[in-house]
Amino acid sequence: MNKNLQKKLKEEIRVIPDFPLKGIMFQDIFSITENPKLFKDVINELSSLCKKHKITKVVGIEARGFIFGSLVAYKNAIPFVPIRKKGKLPGKIIKKKYKLEYGTDQIEIQKHSILNSDKVMIIDDLIATGGTAIASCKLLKSLTNKKLTFCFIIDLHNLGGSKKLKLLSNNVISMINAVG
Ligand code: AMP
């Protein structure tokens, strides 16, 4: 990972204490999108990982994974596929319940969108407890046998999500670590 980019991300990402609940240190990822140079560098970094791992489809996790994931898919001229919250996707879907750092929810993906032959990169802004990513991993493993690549901008490593995810996937990449 590019050390200058890591340094810049650590300097620039705003952290808002007690949002949306007391005790949560909220990492405001929009401090990246508001900064065109930093935004571009993040997308370029993710795109080169995409090329390196010969990815055929990018999956973005709702909602912030859509912002980064769709640009990476565009840049690599490959399809973007959303994992959405409960009840938003039409047609045949596969679903999984998961835990958030705050609350619980369910994620869904359209069954037709991933083929068994696809090499998938899953992108989200952040991994905390890992509930969302682990549920996504299980969903995608039921659709493709190929190795999954997970990319996050921030890993709240003290919450242990990335450690748990690494038990299911040996390709988990985070740009920076932070304390949640
Ligand atoms: P988790 O399932 O606990 O790994 O939570 C990951 C998801 O929740 C990510 O998609 C984040 O967008 C959001 N999230 C969880 N904790 C935080 C946090 N401290 N700051 C910003 N977003 C968070």
Side-chain angles (χ1 to χ4, degrees):
M1 195 61 56
N2 179 328
K3 294 268 179 250
N4 285 337
L5 178 56
Q6 282 180 323
K7 186 170 172 278
K8 200 80 189 137
L9 284 167
K10 284 190 175 167
E11 285 166 3
E12 295 292 327
I13 295 173
R14 282 184 299 266
V15 181
I16 294 121
D18 299 325
F19 181 86
L21 296 173
K22 201 160 174 51
I24 305 286
M25 296 293 284
F26 190 83
Q27 307 279 331
D28 186 4
I29 211 79
F30 294 110
S31 28
I32 299 174
T33 61
E34 284 165 3
N35 179 334
K37 164 88 173 79
L38 186 58
F39 194 18
K40 191 173 170 190
D41 288 347
V42 167
I43 297 303
N44 286 344
E45 185 75 24
L46 291 169
S47 294
S48 54
L49 287 169
C50 200
K51 272 196 191 73
K52 182 179 161 197
H53 293 281
K54 299 186 167 58
I55 298 300
T56 62
K57 276 178 191 159
V58 176
V59 168
I61 302 176
E62 187 169 350
R64 283 163 272 170
F66 292 179
I67 300 164
F68 298 93
S70 58
L71 285 171
V72 172
Y74 175 81
K75 208 169 152 59
N76 286 276
I78 56 175
F80 172 80
V81 175
I83 282 186
R84 296 215 63 185
K85 305 272 167 63
K86 191 177 179 175
K88 308 262 180 157
L89 289 172
K92 276 198 176 167
I93 52 141
I94 318 183
K95 52 193 172 189
K96 208 78 209 159
K97 278 218 167 80
Y98 71 105
K99 271 191 199 162
L100 268 179
E101 190 184 357
Y102 34 90
T104 64
D105 218 331
Q106 180 170 292
I107 48 168
E108 300 179 348
I109 191 167
Q110 286 175 307
K111 198 164 188 256
H112 73 265
S113 54
I114 305 292
L115 306 176
N116 194 33
S117 55
D118 276 323
K119 283 200 77 184
V120 177
M121 174 179 276
I122 304 93
I123 297 183
D124 204 358
D125 61 333
L126 176 148
I127 181 161
T129 64
T132 325
I134 287 166
S136 303
C137 184
K138 289 177 181 164
L139 273 189
L140 290 162
K141 278 193 171 185
S142 66
L143 295 172
T144 173
N145 289 328
K146 296 272 189 294
K147 193 171 91 171
L148 300 171
T149 300
F150 283 85
C151 287
F152 305 95
I153 297 166
I154 306 168
D155 176 7
L156 298 184
H157 59 104
N158 61 312
L159 300 181
S162 57
K163 207 171 163 189
K164 282 191 226 152
L165 182 63
K166 282 175 187 164
L167 299 174
L168 299 176
S169 165
N170 58 7
N171 207 10
V172 178
I173 302 159
S174 308
M175 290 188 172
I176 57 167
N177 285 328
V179 176

